[in-house]
Amino acid sequence: MRLDDPLKRVLFVDLSKRRFWIEERRELFEATLGGSGAAIRLLDEFCPEGAGALSPDNPIIFAVGPLVGFYPLASKTVAMFKSPHTGNLGESHAGGRSAVAIRMAGYGAIVILGRSEMPIYLVIGDGQVAFRDASALWGTRSSYTTGDVLAKRESGRGNRTIMRIGRAGEQQVSYACVITETFRHFGRLGLGAVFGSKQLKAIVIEGQRNLAPDDRKAYRQTYDTIYQRATQSELMQKYHELGTPMNVLPLDAIGALPTRNLQSGRFEGAEAISGERLAADYLGRRIACAHCPVACIHIAALRIPYPNDPYFYKTVMLGYDHEPIYAVGSMLGIQDVSGMLQVMDEVEIQGLDVMSAGVALAWATEALGQGLIGETETDGLPLQFGGAETYIEAIKRIVSQPTLFYKALAQGVDHAASLYGGQDFALAFGGNEMPGYHTGPGCHAGYLTGARHSHLDSAGYGLDQDAAKAGRTLEPEGVAAQLIEEERWRQVLTSLVICLFARKVYELPLILDALAAIGSERTEADLEHLGTEILREKHAFKRREGFDFAELRIPRRILETPAPAGDFDAAFIRETLHHYADLLRG
Amino acid sequence: MAKRLSVIDIDHCVGCQSCMFACTRRTAKGGLEESRIHVHSAGGFRRGFVVIVCRACPDPPCARVCPTDALVPREGGGVRFRSAACIGCHNCETACPFGAVLWDSSQEKPRICVYCGYCADYCPYDVIALTEIDRGANPEPGANPAADHTSESADTNT
């Protein structure tokens, strides 16, 4: 790292004392690159052991990496915190303009401490932090309004990020998200609730500066190589054209699309909610994160007539991806596309993680059907698969929490099922609700072992699909080895920080060239070692906060619903966990 | 004939800002501080984007208000910037109705487009292009301006 690279600067903001200061942490960024690697060390340093996730003791860390601001597709910010949803590691990544804005404001990381005495929002610039009154914004019905108001009120259009929470964050729903640039999210594990607990409604970050490469010629050459690979090759085509919803039909075809709370892996409405159909009938705009030419963000234009007022319509613009389509489409049995999009819109308005919200409602629907709960619990709502309008009302109640049942559901499906039963079909892994893949033991073992219990940790669905295609049988030892190898490498990618969608663009030699051109010489062995270290540090934090592989719950439903990679049992998964834990220890 | 940067199709813009990064990278630097082109949302990401570039006016107001002749009208339209003569008074910034005179706060000088087209080479969606200045499409004041582009892109072709 060059001496003049501002990445080494860490901004600290103490909400309790309304103070801020900047520390130079050069050695931290030299050792870890940045991103996930820097964030886990800062979390370990500033989160006291056993701290309440919603207490002032829980810090919020944002970190970017050396490639951000220099190269395309290096467009993500890593957020770390203690998760109010799982009680251990909270890690969530978002794009939009967040990463570029943090880098251009002259920081490698931002650490937010304490708790404000009143609702506030922060305006962060290069060497400046303003603490602004957000009491009038607190309680606003829609998260969209907060974004619109701050966009108008604050300066820096085009050079800023506006991170904000909705009412779900204010109410500390444990899977509330933080929204940035309207269509991107720090979605998983409850960062929104941590914002809410600190009375932090939003953060605006703005900046623009130059970054000096070490070798100007090599910098421009490497840039061009990356840019060409991203725009001229087939590598990003999937994200570029239909976007992630191109997964819907292929997953349905192999029986891996979780449907009606995973009672099935096939959905008769898959065609209706497919990426192809959405593109044909609803795609209204495509947009990009800052410094990403791919533009994977697909925005639907949904025209809704006023029922009793002819010639009046409203047009809603909302982002769609595979995961939201799975979570509130197939998982809730909704094949009416307009209804599905309206459910998604309500999730956005409230500021919830759409994946957790969909899975929680799917479980609640089945629990109601089985009589584990009644309409007293659901506040009179007859939850039924396919019933979009009822789900919209239920989403509002997860946030307003009129009954004890909704209070429980607002803490996730694991928690709700521990009180009301139905754990066999409560689809959470390590406390986090499942993603939209039921491909076989690889994906489920990945959800359990992954440090953030996400499909993005280790892409186990890839192992299952490869095995199914080749007619191979998976073995626990092999699954564990492949999961950990992938997860280790991804620690490097998320420390640089590049978008994981661009992982095939950024092959190892290109990463080494990109780093060398900006004055950061590394070897393949350095990076491999770093990936192993970061993953180990994340698990050390998880263990410190009570995580134990032996206590992981395996929902019986995943063993009963046929998956494309073939049948597997709980023993297979347990054995995979065992091997994974061994490999982690090294 | 002189060239200038034109916004060809603003509706094709995805807001990736590759052009902005290209403009600073032209001088072999990363980041954004030297960028002479700016992209921001048209009032929220739901509404699309605005691209702000110098439209190379035939009688540039930025040059007219420059007290030190640091901005010199260029033959065929637009201006040339003589940095050494600039006293950082911000007059040019205020004079441009499109906001196309961007400001470099660390140098305390305007960032003036040099009409090189490097940014357009990195636009993945052909939103912008380096074009010959066509008098018919870029009329003198008082002439009918409607000949240029669609109304949307004319508004933002700045």
Side-chain angles (χ1 to χ4, degrees):
Chain A
M1 190 164 89
R2 280 172 59 96
L3 288 169
D4 59 2
D5 193 321
L7 192 70
K8 60 183 178 258
R9 296 164 85 224
V10 179
L11 172 69
F12 291 84
V13 181
D14 185 332
L15 299 175
S16 302
K17 297 181 179 141
R18 297 212 181 179
R19 284 181 58 234
F20 72 92
W21 65 96
I22 295 163
E23 289 179 17
E24 294 210 351
R25 292 292 191 93
R26 193 180 161 75
E27 72 303 329
L28 173 67
F29 288 88
E30 288 282 10
T32 65
L33 292 173
S36 293
I40 185 60
R41 292 203 180 166
L42 289 167
L43 183 67
D44 191 54
E45 185 177 342
F46 290 97
C47 182
E49 190 170 339
L54 298 173
S55 81
D57 292 338
N58 190 13
I60 297 169
I61 322 281
F62 292 107
V64 297
L67 300 193
V68 175
F70 274 114
Y71 296 104
L73 303 123
S75 52
K76 291 266 186 163
T77 303
V78 172
M80 274 200 209
F81 47 97
K82 182 171 173 180
S83 168
H85 197 52
T86 64
N88 58 71
L89 178 70
E91 179 181 2
S92 194
H93 305 169
R97 289 188 176 151
S98 61
V100 167
I102 292 170
R103 187 88 159 105
M104 293 292 96
Y107 306 112
I110 298 173
V111 178
I112 295 170
L113 303 165
R115 176 184 188 272
S116 173
E117 278 179 11
M118 63 178 286
I120 56 155
Y121 69 95
L122 297 174
V123 181
I124 295 175
D126 193 343
Q128 299 166 25
V129 177
F131 299 79
R132 304 237 157 107
D133 181 1
S135 50
L137 288 168
W138 204 260
T140 319
R141 194 185 91 77
S142 168
S143 68
Y144 291 118
T145 308
T146 301
D148 291 343
V149 167
L150 294 181
K152 201 167 148 192
R153 188 171 166 80
E154 298 299 332
S155 64
R157 280 208 304 185
N159 292 324
R160 68 184 178 194
T161 184
I162 303 178
M163 303 173 181
R164 64 267 195 179
I165 58 169
R167 288 203 61 228
E170 295 174 8
Q171 296 296 111
Q172 301 177 24
V173 175
S174 70
Y175 46 96
C177 73
V178 171
I179 300 165
T180 181
E181 285 64 83
T182 313
F183 299 117
R184 299 289 90 186
H185 310 83
F186 293 96
R188 309 227 69 192
L189 299 174
L191 181 60
V194 181
F195 266 53
S197 73
K198 297 184 178 310
Q199 302 212 69
L200 179 60
K201 182 67 179 170
I203 307 177
V204 184
I205 306 168
E206 188 223 334
Q208 48 178 325
R209 59 161 63 219
N210 291 337
L211 298 169
D214 206 51
D215 180 336
R216 294 169 157 228
K217 193 171 164 214
Y219 167 54
R220 294 222 289 198
Q221 277 171 354
T222 309
Y223 189 103
D224 286 345
T225 305
I226 297 165
Y227 188 85
Q228 297 295 328
R229 283 172 68 81
T231 56
Q232 309 293 324
S233 72
E234 311 280 291
L235 295 169
M236 299 302 289
Q237 199 174 3
K238 158 183 169 180
Y239 303 107
H240 179 78
E241 291 176 353
L242 291 176
T244 57
M246 82 158 295
N247 288 331
V248 173
L249 285 180
L251 287 173
D252 179 66
I254 60 172
L257 182 66
T259 298
R260 286 185 286 273
N261 202 35
L262 195 58
Q263 292 179 41
S264 169
R266 293 180 204 272
F267 184 39
E268 67 283 2
E271 209 280 326
I273 61 169
S274 65
E276 289 80 354
R277 182 59 78 82
L278 277 157
D281 296 347
Y282 291 94
L283 181 56
R285 191 179 286 291
R286 288 206 4 234
I287 62 179
C289 293
H291 217 171
C292 175
V294 176
C296 80
I297 307 168
H298 287 57
I299 311 295
L302 173 65
R303 188 163 168 256
I304 307 167
Y306 278 75
N308 303 316
D309 213 348
Y311 303 105
F312 265 98
Y313 294 87
K314 67 171 177 180
T315 302
V316 176
M317 303 291 283
L318 77 159
Y320 64 86
D321 265 301
H322 170 69
E323 298 298 340
I325 290 172
Y326 135 75
V328 301
S330 63
M331 199 64 164
L332 296 180
I334 299 175
Q335 48 182 312
D336 156 33
V337 182
S338 172
M340 175 187 78
L341 291 171
Q342 288 177 64
V343 175
M344 271 183 216
D345 195 43
E346 191 58 40
V347 168
E348 286 295 319
I349 285 168
Q350 302 289 345
L352 289 163
D353 171 25
V354 67
M355 294 162 70
S356 289
V359 173
L361 289 173
W363 169 82
T365 306
E366 206 172 331
L368 182 65
Q370 293 197 9
L372 296 174
I373 54 170
E375 292 198 4
T376 316
E377 279 75 28
T378 65
D379 197 27
L381 294 181
L383 299 173
Q384 205 171 12
F385 289 121
E389 280 179 34
T390 314
Y391 286 127
I392 290 171
E393 291 308 311
I395 286 160
K396 293 175 185 166
R397 284 165 177 74
I398 288 174
V399 176
S400 65
Q401 300 165 25
T403 65
L404 287 174
F405 173 73
Y406 285 107
K407 273 191 189 18
L409 205 55
Q411 303 304 309
V413 77
D414 233 4
H415 178 69
S418 74
L419 298 177
Y420 293 91
Q423 286 176 303
D424 287 349
F425 54 89
L427 291 159
F429 297 81
N432 198 22
E433 285 73 12
M434 81 174 282
Y437 305 86
H438 174 62
T439 47
C443 76
H444 294 294
Y447 306 153
L448 288 164
T449 54
R452 43 189 181 132
H453 305 291
S454 158
H455 60 297
L456 293 167
D457 283 319
S458 47
Y461 51 82
L463 306 183
D464 294 330
Q465 283 169 279
D466 289 348
K469 244 181 253 164
R472 248 183 316 112
T473 313
L474 290 164
E475 298 297 335
E477 203 166 350
V479 170
Q482 284 186 278
L483 288 176
I484 202 165
E485 188 189 346
E486 182 67 22
E487 194 172 2
R488 282 171 175 160
W489 178 240
R490 289 185 179 212
Q491 306 312 309
V492 175
L493 302 180
T494 60
S495 296
L496 290 168
V497 177
I498 67 156
C499 177
L500 287 175
F501 291 173
R503 59 190 182 270
K504 289 180 182 151
V505 171
Y506 276 91
E507 286 175 335
L508 178 73
L510 194 52
I511 291 173
L512 297 178
D513 286 350
L515 284 169
I518 60 171
S520 201
E521 295 281 351
R522 305 281 162 148
T523 64
E524 182 176 348
D526 290 342
L527 296 186
E528 278 172 6
H529 176 70
L530 179 64
T532 304
E533 279 301 298
I534 296 170
L535 187 58
R536 206 173 272 154
E537 287 172 30
K538 283 187 185 176
H539 272 281
F541 181 86
K542 286 172 78 76
R543 254 195 328 278
R544 195 193 86 176
E545 298 301 324
F547 175 81
D548 184 348
F549 283 108
E551 286 174 17
L552 285 168
R553 187 176 65 81
I554 301 169
R556 189 202 294 262
R557 176 63 48 83
I558 65 167
L559 311 171
E560 295 167 345
T561 300
D567 291 343
F568 57 97
D569 56 14
F572 184 111
I573 301 283
R574 289 277 170 224
E575 207 180 319
T576 309
L577 298 183
H578 181 74
H579 286 300
Y580 182 97
D582 274 352
L583 290 166
L584 191 64
R585 277 190 296 271
Chain B
M1 268 209 290
K3 293 190 172 179
R4 68 155 176 157
L5 208 63
S6 288
V7 179
I8 304 299
D9 185 1
I10 190 62
D11 293 313
H12 212 174
C13 180
V14 298
C16 71
Q17 305 185 321
S18 294
C19 53
M20 292 165 61
F21 283 97
C23 189
T24 292
R25 198 170 61 259
R26 198 179 65 89
T27 60
K29 290 174 194 140
L32 291 169
E33 199 171 19
E34 287 183 28
S35 299
R36 292 140 166 91
I37 179 168
H38 194 64
V39 179
H40 63 71
S41 78
F45 281 69
R46 283 164 282 179
R47 298 186 179 87
F49 298 94
V50 173
V51 179
I52 298 174
V53 294
C54 174
R55 72 192 300 265
C57 304
D59 178 17
C62 55
R64 265 184 277 140
V65 299
C66 179
T68 60
D69 290 334
L71 286 172
V72 183
R74 181 181 64 144
E75 195 177 331
V79 289
R80 275 183 228 291
F81 181 50
R82 302 187 306 142
S83 181
C86 175
I87 56 170
C89 71
H90 289 263
N91 280 6
C92 52
E93 187 189 19
T94 317
C96 179
F98 299 106
V101 176
L102 299 164
W103 201 258
D104 181 340
S105 307
S106 42
Q107 306 285 323
E108 268 307 313
K109 291 196 172 168
R111 300 180 292 196
I112 303 293
C113 181
V114 297
Y115 318 106
C116 72
Y118 192 74
C119 55
D121 292 343
Y122 288 88
C123 177
Y125 301 102
D126 299 325
V127 175
I128 50 176
L130 193 67
T131 55
E132 297 282 345
I133 294 179
D134 175 350
R135 272 287 148 254
N138 192 12
E140 300 291 338
N144 175 14
D148 192 11
H149 316 294
T150 65
S151 61
E152 175 72 10
S153 66
D155 283 344
T156 52
N157 181 21
T158 51

